[in-house]
Amino acid sequence: MQAFIRHDPAGPAVALVLDSPHSGTRYPADFDHLPPRFVVRKAEDTHVEALFASAPAAGATLIEALFPRAYIDPNRHLADLDPAVIDEPWPGPLAPSRKTELGIGLVWRLAQGAQPMYARPLSIAEVERRIALCYEPYHAAVAGALDERHARFGAVWHLNCHSMPAVGDAMSEDPGRKRADFVLGDRDGTTCEREFTAFVARTLADMGYDVAINDPYKGVELVRKHGRPAERRHSLQIEVNRRLYMDEETLERTVGFAALQADLARLIEALAQYVQASA
Ligand SMILES: [Zn+2]
């Protein structure tokens, strides 16, 4: 099972790495989810890897996950596991977070509409296999790309790319609320320099988008793990509102996709200049 694709620049590199952890659509044969596939697929950040596909042209590396996040979620800590999804006591440390409480921890207990994801508990071996074949290779790829750039430039900037439903659903912290066009998450100013968050927010606002910061998404495991601004490692989560580019029922791209993709290419170009001026 191939866990990810790494898209590297053909030309000169800059100290910028993007990753798309939730856009994978290769459903493994052993993923025997209970609801129909079209329901399970609502968990995906569908098309996000394509929205940010211009990253290599701007000198950035883009890491794209291929496995579905409902199978195992790379944006969760390994201890953020719900004991209710497995049939025996988990041998590792357990520290279930609010995400697990909502049914969307490391291994999702619930699918859209809060319906059970499985008709049976999973075995320890199954979860360990998902960690070994998907989670760990993905984390190693992101860490490797960030470490390479940091070693070369003395600093690295990381944009962790996601999309969000237009309106909060039953498994979110803000059910029923309409979201902004973009939500940036730096875990309340702890995962990157404040100028980076402000620069991304300003660049998007100048294009006419409304941008919220740390509300309702503050950023989860990937920015928490990689964002260490004191070491000049800056990680920022970006959530794109799905209404800007897709039909949330059919998952098809809408007419807005191309314009949004072009705006994100301009954002990435601006970020490439920002990191060159800052590195
Ligand atoms: Zn996501």
Side-chain angles (χ1 to χ4, degrees):
M1 186 189 307
Q2 190 185 351
F4 65 90
I5 300 175
R6 175 174 163 150
H7 305 272
D8 276 315
V14 299
L16 181 63
V17 173
L18 285 74
D19 84 301
S20 180
H22 290 161
S23 53
T25 59
R26 296 190 189 177
Y27 282 72
D30 67 354
F31 188 11
D32 57 344
H33 50 76
L34 185 59
R37 178 66 51 86
F38 79 90
V39 172
V40 177
R41 288 200 63 194
K42 302 287 172 63
E44 295 171 10
D45 296 349
T46 319
H47 308 305
V48 164
E49 82 298 341
L51 285 175
F52 291 90
S54 70
T61 287
L62 169 65
I63 311 288
E64 169 192 355
L66 298 177
F67 56 91
R69 65 95 64 97
Y71 185 64
I72 188 154
D73 194 330
N75 203 27
R76 301 289 182 261
H77 192 280
L78 279 176
D80 195 356
L81 178 63
D82 191 337
V85 300
I86 45 177
D87 62 359
E88 304 156 275
W90 182 245
L94 279 183
S97 78
R98 175 74 182 143
K99 297 291 187 188
T100 280
E101 227 174 274
L102 291 166
I104 55 172
L106 179 69
V107 176
W108 284 30
R109 180 170 54 83
L110 300 176
Q112 200 210 30
Q115 48 191 314
M117 186 72 82
Y118 301 96
R120 64 181 182 91
L122 303 179
S123 69
I124 288 173
E126 283 181 293
V127 175
E128 285 177 338
R129 186 166 179 277
R130 295 179 189 191
I131 291 170
L133 295 184
C134 301
Y135 185 101
E136 284 179 341
Y138 186 78
H139 272 255
V142 174
L146 290 169
D147 287 350
E148 285 167 29
R149 292 303 211 286
H150 189 267
R152 179 163 161 197
F153 296 101
V156 67
W157 286 262
H158 170 215
L159 196 62
N160 177 232
C161 305
H162 299 262
S163 70
M164 60 185 167
V167 176
D169 62 18
M171 287 134 68
S172 69
E173 298 289 4
D174 61 342
R177 186 166 70 139
K178 285 179 77 174
R179 271 82 178 260
D181 294 330
F182 288 90
V183 177
L184 306 181
D186 61 10
R187 296 180 67 87
D188 296 323
T190 60
T191 62
C192 63
E193 59 194 1
R194 290 188 181 270
E195 295 81 356
F196 187 45
T197 307
F199 180 81
V200 174
R202 193 166 63 243
T203 304
L204 292 168
D206 286 348
M207 295 178 191
Y209 295 107
D210 64 294
V211 182
I213 298 176
N214 293 312
D215 175 29
Y217 295 107
K218 293 178 187 296
V220 194
E221 176 62 10
L222 284 154
V223 298
R224 186 206 64 79
K225 181 175 172 180
H226 296 296
R228 296 193 292 278
E231 299 172 27
R232 304 197 75 204
R233 292 171 175 268
H234 303 285
S235 284
L236 177 65
Q237 175 173 291
I238 182 169
E239 295 270 0
V240 185
N241 195 312
R242 291 178 193 156
R243 82 170 122 75
L244 296 173
Y245 74 93
M246 67 183 266
D247 180 316
E248 291 192 61
E249 281 309 307
T250 64
L251 310 185
E252 297 290 328
R253 297 176 187 184
T254 55
V255 287
F257 182 90
L260 177 63
Q261 189 185 45
D263 283 344
L264 291 173
R266 287 165 57 209
L267 171 68
I268 294 166
E269 268 301 331
L271 286 177
Q273 287 170 18
Y274 174 94
V275 307
Q276 283 175 289
S278 308

